[in-house]
Amino acid sequence: MTNNPRRLHQPAALALLSLLLVTSCQNVFSMVSPTGGGEGVGASATGETYLAAIRSDHGLPALSPDPKLEKAAAQQAGYMAQSAEMSHRTGWRKDFATRMKENGVEGAAAENVAHGAMDPEKLFKMWMDSKGHRRNMLDPRFAHYGLASAEDPQGRKYWALVLGR
């Protein structure tokens, strides 16, 4: 058996490359995580009362918080805060459907986004006053939700509500 120096270093090079990829993925995730004083994943408890009342007023069952939907909402709120732009897309060319698939969300889903220094009561009222946002929250196909908010460095708040089966 010959002792090839290149062969001995390949495993070390692969290990170093793997470490760099993991570190890069962690950095990308931290960029889309809620920043500043954002409520992040815990915001779902804040929205539960409002969503339950809205749906009850329209003869629909309450929605339950879902960890996958919360994660997807937190990613979007964090991305919007990081980019200071309200959008359903991310800078990595990921549209809503792609983000849902990557978060393991199957079936029908919808997303409401907003920005501004508002309390949850005002936020849900604003969404109810908007035809498309209202339709999402009153969609009878949905049984679960995730709500998140994040602040940009200037203190502007970004919200994302993800609804799903």
Side-chain angles (χ1 to χ4, degrees), residues 36-101:
E39 295 176 31
V41 174
S44 285
T46 303
E48 192 163 11
T49 303
Y50 297 101
L51 278 170
I54 288 166
R55 288 180 59 93
S56 176
D57 288 349
H58 292 86
L60 295 167
L63 301 173
S64 302
D66 179 271
K68 290 177 185 177
L69 299 174
E70 288 178 340
K71 182 180 175 189
Q75 288 172 337
Q76 190 59 21
Y79 171 76
M80 291 187 302
Q82 183 258 337
S83 65
E85 176 185 351
M86 191 173 74
S87 174
H88 292 283
R89 296 184 64 82
T90 68
W92 302 288
R93 292 186 175 86
K94 291 187 180 178
D95 61 11
F96 179 70
T98 301
R99 287 187 290 110
M100 293 307 99
K101 184 176 179 181

Side-chain angles (χ1 to χ4, degrees), residues 9-25:
H9 294 292
Q10 282 178 341
L14 288 174
L16 180 59
L17 180 60
S18 296
L19 179 62
L20 288 172
L21 287 173
V22 168
T23 303
S24 296
C25 290

Side-chain angles (χ1 to χ4, degrees), residues 78-158:
Y79 171 76
M80 291 187 302
Q82 183 258 337
S83 65
E85 176 185 351
M86 191 173 74
S87 174
H88 292 283
R89 296 184 64 82
T90 68
W92 302 288
R93 292 186 175 86
K94 291 187 180 178
D95 61 11
F96 179 70
T98 301
R99 287 187 290 110
M100 293 307 99
K101 184 176 179 181
E102 288 180 355
N103 280 295
V105 176
E106 297 176 6
E111 178 177 70
N112 290 357
V113 296
H115 78 286
M118 62 189 98
D119 60 26
E121 181 177 5
K122 183 177 178 182
L123 173 69
F124 282 96
K125 182 182 179 339
M126 181 186 73
W127 279 335
M128 283 301 288
D129 290 342
S130 164
K131 185 179 177 182
H133 295 106
R134 176 187 181 95
R135 182 181 60 242
N136 288 343
M137 293 189 299
L138 297 178
D139 191 321
R141 296 175 298 167
F142 299 143
H144 300 93
Y145 78 100
L147 175 67
S149 67
E151 289 184 9
D152 69 14
Q154 290 73 38
R156 291 180 295 241
K157 200 167 200 172
Y158 293 81

